[in-house]
Amino acid sequence: MNCFGHLFGDKVLKKIAGIFKENLREGDYVGRYGGEEFIIILSKTNLEQGYKIISRLKDKVNAMNWEKENVRISFSAGIMEIGNAHSKDCNEDSIIKVIDILLYKAKSKGKNRIEMIREKKN
């Protein structure tokens, strides 16, 4: 996005956010976390279901058309299933840290990938 400027980058982020909102279920949540990162919370969803949902979103983002030639948007994600939200190690900061590590792992493996991990249940 940097090659095309901030205005085009904002258009990309808005269009991606629209795709998320249109394709998530009632009870799911999406928000911009920073820069070009979003957090999606899928309620009542196990890891396999979450992977399918995020894969579908990735495919929709990859298929987007842009007014500028040769623009391809990649989509990398980290997915974690929360088994016991009341466990001592399962707080917002630790969850975000794990997902962030997974996201950067996906990016380092060539981008446009999904990495996932299942939290140990107590």
Side-chain angles (χ1 to χ4, degrees), residues 49-61:
Q49 294 165 329
Y51 183 83
K52 288 178 185 176
I53 292 167
I54 299 301
S55 291
R56 189 176 69 244
L57 293 175
K58 183 174 86 62
D59 291 344
K60 289 183 179 291
V61 168

Side-chain angles (χ1 to χ4, degrees), residues 8-43:
F8 183 69
D10 286 344
K11 284 183 182 180
V12 170
L13 292 172
K14 287 176 184 175
K15 195 167 181 180
I16 290 171
I19 287 172
F20 291 166
K21 289 177 185 178
E22 291 170 9
N23 290 280
L24 292 173
R25 306 160 300 176
E26 189 174 321
D28 294 339
Y29 301 93
V30 62
R32 189 167 167 198
Y33 182 64
E36 57 199 38
E37 296 177 355
F38 291 87
I39 289 182
I40 299 173
I41 299 171
L42 303 171
S43 62

Side-chain angles (χ1 to χ4, degrees), residues 38-100:
F38 291 87
I39 289 182
I40 299 173
I41 299 171
L42 303 171
S43 62
K44 299 178 184 175
T45 306
N46 67 30
L47 190 66
E48 291 77 21
Q49 294 165 329
Y51 183 83
K52 288 178 185 176
I53 292 167
I54 299 301
S55 291
R56 189 176 69 244
L57 293 175
K58 183 174 86 62
D59 291 344
K60 289 183 179 291
V61 168
N62 290 158
M64 290 188 306
N65 293 316
W66 301 98
E67 69 271 12
K68 299 189 182 286
E69 292 182 33
N70 300 321
V71 172
R72 301 309 291 146
I73 304 299
S74 66
F75 180 113
S76 298
I79 302 175
M80 179 180 179
E81 179 179 354
I82 307 302
N84 181 349
H86 301 291
S87 67
K88 67 177 182 169
D89 295 330
C90 185
N91 61 49
E92 293 172 13
D93 290 336
S94 64
I95 292 168
I96 290 172
K97 183 176 181 179
V98 169
I99 293 171
D100 206 40

